[in-house]
Amino acid sequence: MMDRNDPQPLTAVPDPEIPAGFPSGSAIRRIDWGAQRAFDLLLVPVSEGQEAEGSSLSVLAREWATTGSGGSQVAAGCPGSVLIPLYGNHVVWSPERGAVIAEAGRLDTLAAALTEFAQCERRLRDLEQRGDSLNNRVETDAASILVAGEATDQPPRGGVQGSQLESISIRAELSKIAPLVHAPVLHPPTAASQLAERLRDRTRLAERHDLATNRADFAVQVYEACGQRAFDAKIARRQSGLEWAILVILLGQMALMLVEILSSRTGQ
């Protein structure tokens, strides 16, 4: 079953969109992320042994990739673009664009590895942004939960309940991408595995995932603790009401007994 976050099939972009300075045979593929977002992937084939040509083209590719990332929010500690040299090949990544400059035999393999990384990084970046927004509301939501729990038997609803579900959703999504973020080193290594490892290292993907997970766990724990406290306050109010009801009943019985005693003495 396809994940709803999986990218759509690659689609070719017309040649006129290829920037100047790249050799014939270059192509741009567009990966549709959904929600009116896409990742453009520039593929530049070079001849075997032309490392100098690849180095000069990598500079152009990085400039092209960076100019397309002006509207993207980059997480703290993550560079705006990354250039990875790999066995005479060059791979460029930025939040909205990427490029692979490689021999024809390795072009598709490296492109697939870059695409998988770009998807994983994009999902993590979305979760980081959602987590930041949620953590800005945690203190206010916690106060609302406690006040509602102390004032009424009704559980908090609306925005607070939505935030609680959001914290659980973020934590669940982070657990889904954890195997990709913390992928073990492959032995023997391949060009694709080494590229993925270097991209994860340069963008601090594991550290960012751990931080986002800790923050999501904190939000989940806060909502759970506040919910438990509100529930305990609700139970305490009910117990207090029951105790008062028992006390009223006992007082009523004592009053009836007193009336009966006084009536019997009056009759005598």
Side-chain angles (χ1 to χ4, degrees):
M1 181 179 295
M2 182 176 293
D3 193 316
R4 62 183 177 87
N5 291 303
D6 285 344
Q8 300 300 318
L10 301 182
T11 56
V13 177
D15 288 344
E17 293 194 19
I18 297 175
F22 291 95
S24 61
S26 300
I28 297 179
R29 295 177 180 177
R30 177 158 294 168
I31 306 169
D32 184 13
W33 293 136
Q36 298 181 347
R37 291 181 301 177
F39 183 78
D40 292 336
L41 182 59
L42 174 63
L43 304 179
V44 183
V46 294
S47 303
E48 185 176 356
Q50 299 295 324
E51 186 172 354
E53 179 186 2
S55 298
S56 60
L57 290 174
S58 67
V59 176
L60 293 176
R62 189 168 191 176
E63 292 177 356
W64 170 79
T66 304
T67 56
S69 302
S72 294
Q73 295 182 0
V74 181
C78 177
S81 65
V82 171
L83 172 60
I84 305 291
L86 188 67
Y87 303 127
N89 307 304
H90 297 82
V91 177
V92 176
W93 168 87
S94 74
E96 292 180 0
R97 289 178 173 178
V100 178
I101 304 169
E103 303 167 7
R106 288 184 173 179
L107 201 59
D108 289 339
T109 300
L110 296 178
L114 177 59
T115 300
E116 183 179 25
F117 167 80
Q119 179 193 6
C120 181
E121 195 281 335
R122 190 268 310 176
R123 293 175 65 179
L124 176 58
R125 189 161 14 104
D126 285 350
L127 292 171
E128 288 174 319
Q129 294 172 6
R130 289 171 59 187
D132 289 342
S133 176
L134 177 64
N135 276 271
N136 291 334
R137 305 194 304 266
V138 165
E139 184 175 353
T140 302
D141 288 346
S144 300
I145 293 173
L146 295 178
V147 170
E150 293 174 359
T152 177
D153 286 345
Q154 296 298 323
R157 299 181 182 275
V160 173
Q161 192 174 38
S163 296
Q164 186 172 11
L165 294 176
E166 176 75 354
S167 68
I168 298 173
S169 173
I170 292 174
R171 186 62 184 87
E173 291 293 330
L174 285 168
S175 66
K176 290 180 182 179
I177 65 173
L180 296 175
V181 175
H182 300 280
V185 178
L186 185 64
H187 292 287
T190 63
S193 68
Q194 290 183 69
L195 173 60
E197 183 181 351
R198 295 183 188 185
L199 285 169
R200 290 194 299 267
D201 181 65
R202 291 288 298 277
T203 56
R204 302 183 61 190
L205 209 66
E207 292 86 346
R208 289 165 53 193
H209 182 271
D210 290 341
L211 177 60
T213 300
N214 291 337
R215 298 185 71 178
D217 287 340
F218 169 75
V220 170
Q221 292 171 5
V222 168
Y223 286 117
E224 287 182 349
C226 291
Q228 184 62 45
R229 182 169 177 179
F231 178 77
D232 292 342
K234 175 182 176 181
I235 296 300
R237 286 196 304 274
R238 290 187 176 181
Q239 289 179 343
S240 178
L242 181 60
E243 291 172 354
W244 277 106
I246 293 174
L247 179 61
V248 170
I249 292 173
L250 292 176
L251 290 175
Q253 289 179 342
M254 292 178 63
L256 290 175
M257 292 175 61
L258 181 60
V259 169
E260 290 178 358
I261 294 173
L262 291 176
S263 298
S264 62
R265 289 183 176 180
T266 303
Q268 292 176 355

